[in-house]
Amino acid sequence: EIDLSVQHILNCGDVGSCHGGSVDGPYQWISSISKTGAGIAYDTANPYMACSSESQEGFCPHADWTCKAENVARTCSTFPPSGFCAALDKYPNATISDYGSISGAAAMQKEILNRGPISCGVDAVPLLKYQGGIMTDPGSGVDHVISIVGWGTSEQQVPYWIARNSWGEHWGEMG
């Protein structure tokens, strides 16, 4: 499994922030840089810091989140106090050649079977209380994006989606 750098998107994509964006925006940006021969860095070269240029929480307002080489891909010393980070000219990255939007359960299943996990907008509030099993709490609007990796039907014949949340490697099932 390869984790792509969300921080690279926040620093350079101009498609949203830690406080919102769109489902298609990151794909549009990755597609545009892919056409130039560049790609999105792996998370190992630019880990998620949960900061974007307008963030005012914690250390975020005290750091530079502009799209400069060091904020695309970097390597950092692990020996304080003389620690430093240096930009990488070459780094592992991913590109895309195609993306699109789909709607409906049948189309979602077909896309997952043919090309793997898909992004899906959901209401994050019910996710905050998720502890296991099939989540059936209703949402009131879309404010978060997750990955849908599969689907199933419970013993009680309740259909569900298998989802991965971007807040970490948490897997769950949503009815």
Side-chain angles (χ1 to χ4, degrees):
E1 179 177 314
I2 297 171
D3 290 322
L4 302 179
S5 176
V6 172
Q7 196 63 51
H8 185 180
I9 296 172
L10 291 172
N11 295 346
C12 300
D14 198 25
V15 294
S17 71
C18 290
H19 302 98
S22 69
V23 175
D24 289 342
Y27 295 101
Q28 293 167 353
W29 175 71
I30 296 169
S31 177
S32 70
I33 66 171
S34 296
K35 292 173 186 169
T36 70
I40 181 172
Y42 289 9
D43 188 64
T44 53
N46 192 351
Y48 182 52
M49 303 302 288
C51 294
S52 49
S53 60
E54 87 301 338
S55 297
Q56 295 301 312
E57 299 84 20
F59 74 96
C60 295
H62 308 288
D64 178 2
W65 305 107
T66 60
C67 187
K68 62 182 185 179
E70 187 178 309
N71 286 338
V72 170
R74 66 180 169 267
T75 185
C76 297
S77 165
T78 58
F79 300 103
S82 62
F84 70 93
C85 292
L88 297 172
D89 292 334
K90 296 180 180 164
Y91 52 91
N93 64 81
T95 60
I96 61 173
S97 59
D98 189 24
Y99 72 95
S101 296
I102 56 173
S103 181
M108 292 169 64
Q109 291 170 336
K110 183 178 177 182
E111 185 68 15
I112 293 167
L113 275 175
N114 290 331
R115 306 209 284 181
I118 61 172
S119 297
C120 184
V122 297
D123 184 344
V125 174
L127 291 173
L128 297 173
K129 298 178 279 179
Y130 180 74
Q131 294 186 6
I134 298 175
M135 182 171 53
T136 58
D137 296 344
S140 60
V142 174
D143 63 1
H144 186 63
V145 177
I146 59 172
S147 294
I148 302 291
V149 299
W151 66 90
T153 304
S154 72
E155 291 177 10
Q156 294 78 26
Q157 300 304 304
V158 175
Y160 61 85
W161 295 103
I162 302 170
R164 179 176 69 179
N165 190 0
S166 64
W167 291 325
E169 296 305 312
H170 303 290
W171 292 83
E173 298 168 344
M174 301 170 47

